[in-house]
């Protein structure tokens, strides 16, 4: 069961958005898209700034729509949202000390989507390092340590987290040595997420109840995207706006997001505020050759903006 409530209105609108998207992009196969859309209806508080307790926050219910929202998909850099929450939990509970280098890595992992920075964060979270293959017994210990992040998220008790895997680093050229062995011969142990799981985690960050209200606000500061005209004219993908949900938003919108892309996937997850509109949260995953198409996700984003105007 999802953390949001389905209703006929969003179901109808969501299906219309899917239909229009398929018409615009006929090459996008039904199993190459997954989507979760959450609408904040009054009096649900969206970006609380930590003003309410976690217990109070989870009493509120929100409407949502999902398409293939429980299907496991390779998340690329969207997984860094999970490492962001975990590292703040480790810091909050004093499991690890703060340091200038760790803070720099956390920032670069989210703001610039740096894989090198993510490597350090995963090392700190798990007490492991990359390197050559290990003998069987030490490798068993190493694998157990790498799965500590999975065990942390399973402890949440959220049904939507049951099927996820978040024990792998993100790479530019790919894993080598013990990392290559760990991911599996057929990549069967690679990271896997669902749009519903990503939506619920982002929902908790926005709500100020991920780790603590102060930690949630620190995460939100890193996730804030610059949607100014100057930034939108930037080339390259490092700004996580062009080719993603932020590109499809009006100039007066605000967005907090984390994108991910490889040669086979293109994803984005964002919490969005537009003056005069209800706040909403949108997660879109696309797979296959569509990853090279930088217009699909902005198109879906624009369609959702139109739908929000009419809600």
């Amino acid at each position: 069961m999802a953390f949001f409530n389905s209703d006929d209105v969003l179901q109808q609108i969501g299906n219309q958005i899917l239909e229009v998207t398929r018409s615009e992009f006929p090459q996008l196969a039904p199993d190459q898209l997954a989507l979760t859309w959450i609408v904040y209806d009054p009096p649900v508080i969206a970006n609380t700034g930590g003003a309410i307790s976690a217990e109070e926050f989870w009493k509120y219910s929100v409407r949502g729509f999902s398409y293939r929202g429980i299907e496991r998909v390779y998340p690329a850099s969207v997984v860094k949202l999970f490492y962001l929450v975990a590292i703040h939990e480790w810091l909050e509970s004093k499991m690890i000390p703060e340091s200038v280098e760790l803070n720099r890595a956390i920032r670069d992992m989210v703001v610039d989507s740096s894989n090198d920075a993510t490597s350090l964060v995963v090392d700190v979270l798990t007490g492991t390092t990359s390197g050559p293959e290990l003998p069987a017994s030490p490798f068993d210990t190493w694998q157990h340590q790498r799965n500590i992040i999975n065990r942390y998220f399973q402890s949440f008790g959220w049904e939507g987290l049951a099927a996820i895997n978040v024990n792998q680093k993100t790479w530019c050229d790919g894993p080598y040595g013990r990392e290559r062995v760990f991911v599996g011969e057929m990549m069967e142990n690679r990271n896997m997420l669902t749009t519903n799981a990503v939506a619920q985690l982002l929902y908790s960050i926005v709500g100020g109840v991920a780790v603590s209200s102060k930690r949630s606000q620190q995460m939100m500061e890193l996730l804030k995207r610059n949607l100014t005209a100057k930034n939108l004219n930037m080339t390259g993908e490092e700004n996580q706006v062009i080719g993603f949900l932020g590109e499809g938003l009006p100039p007066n919108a605000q967005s907090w997001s984390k994108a991910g892309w490889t040669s086979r996937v293109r994803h984005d997850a964002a919490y969005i505020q537009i003056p005069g509109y209800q706040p909403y949260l949108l997660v879109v995953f696309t797979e296959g050759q569509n990853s090279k198409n930088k217009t699909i996700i902005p198109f879906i984003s624009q369609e959702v903006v139109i739908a929000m105007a009419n809600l």
Side-chain angles (χ1 to χ4, degrees):
M1 183 176 178
F3 71 98
F4 55 87
N5 298 321
S6 297
D7 78 344
D8 292 342
V9 173
L10 287 189
Q11 191 72 35
Q12 182 179 358
I13 296 171
N15 286 332
Q16 287 172 350
I17 291 172
L18 291 175
E19 190 176 329
V20 172
T21 302
R22 292 192 188 109
S23 176
E24 184 73 15
F25 304 99
Q27 75 278 15
L28 184 64
D31 64 350
Q32 292 178 330
L33 174 68
L35 180 152
T36 302
W37 173 32
I38 305 298
V39 174
Y40 294 81
D41 294 311
V44 175
I45 304 171
N47 189 356
T48 69
I52 61 176
S53 68
E55 184 180 17
E56 181 69 18
F57 175 79
W58 289 111
K59 287 179 182 176
Y60 291 98
S61 60
V62 287
R63 286 190 297 162
F65 167 82
S66 73
Y67 171 72
R68 301 183 69 246
I70 60 172
E71 297 296 326
R72 299 171 83 242
V73 178
Y74 177 68
S77 290
V78 174
V79 75
K80 294 167 186 175
L81 272 177
F82 287 75
Y83 301 151
L84 176 65
V85 171
I87 199 72
H88 274 284
E89 177 66 51
W90 271 227
L91 288 165
E92 182 73 9
S93 58
K94 309 296 184 185
M95 289 170 62
I96 55 172
E98 294 234 19
S99 75
V100 172
E101 274 303 285
L102 178 57
N103 287 335
R104 185 170 75 95
I106 294 169
R107 180 211 170 274
D108 291 353
M109 175 179 74
V110 178
V111 176
D112 301 325
S113 205
S114 165
N115 289 336
D116 291 342
T118 305
S119 179
L120 175 67
V121 171
V122 172
D123 285 347
V124 172
L125 281 168
T126 63
T128 64
T129 56
S130 304
E133 295 96 322
L134 290 167
S137 182
F139 188 50
D140 286 343
T141 302
W142 186 93
Q143 291 180 90
H144 181 76
Q145 282 297 110
R146 279 295 283 272
N147 276 306
I148 192 172
I149 312 172
N150 276 333
R151 293 193 294 274
Y152 167 61
F153 284 107
Q154 295 306 324
S155 75
F156 283 27
W158 296 355
E159 185 178 338
L161 297 184
I164 73 169
N165 186 46
V166 290
N167 61 9
Q168 301 289 339
K169 292 184 175 183
T170 52
W171 303 100
C172 295
D173 296 327
Y176 291 86
R178 68 191 66 163
E179 298 283 359
R180 182 63 186 84
V181 177
F182 183 50
V183 80
E185 186 176 348
M186 304 302 294
M187 300 295 204
E188 62 270 17
N189 195 34
R190 70 192 320 204
N191 287 333
M192 298 296 275
L193 289 172
T194 68
T195 57
N196 281 4
V198 174
Q200 188 165 10
L201 190 73
L202 184 54
Y203 178 69
S204 72
I205 297 171
V206 175
V209 298
V211 182
S212 70
S213 59
K214 181 181 177 182
R215 294 280 177 187
S216 291
Q217 287 304 107
Q218 290 173 354
M219 294 183 227
M220 288 289 281
E221 289 170 10
L222 295 178
L223 293 167
K224 187 76 170 69
R225 298 296 165 196
N226 183 353
L227 301 181
T228 62
K230 179 181 178 182
N231 194 52
L232 289 174
N233 288 330
M234 287 176 61
T235 58
E237 304 197 356
E238 285 70 22
N239 62 9
Q240 300 183 70
V241 173
I242 302 301
F244 299 102
L245 295 171
E247 186 181 350
L249 298 176
N252 61 344
Q254 294 187 82
S255 176
W256 293 258
S257 71
K258 184 70 199 76
W261 61 94
T262 69
S263 61
R264 297 294 298 169
V265 301
R266 176 175 289 270
H267 310 320
D268 202 6
Y271 164 70
I272 294 157
Q273 292 180 344
I274 304 171
Y277 293 55
Q278 292 167 230
Y280 64 99
L281 193 154
L282 184 60
V283 182
V284 179
F285 284 3
T286 63
E287 299 183 81
Q289 292 301 313
N290 305 290
S291 65
K292 299 177 178 65
N293 191 327
K294 296 183 180 181
T295 63
I296 296 174
I297 291 179
F299 179 86
I300 293 172
S301 182
Q302 287 179 326
E303 290 300 310
V304 173
V305 171
I306 293 169
M308 291 300 307
N310 295 319
L311 275 184

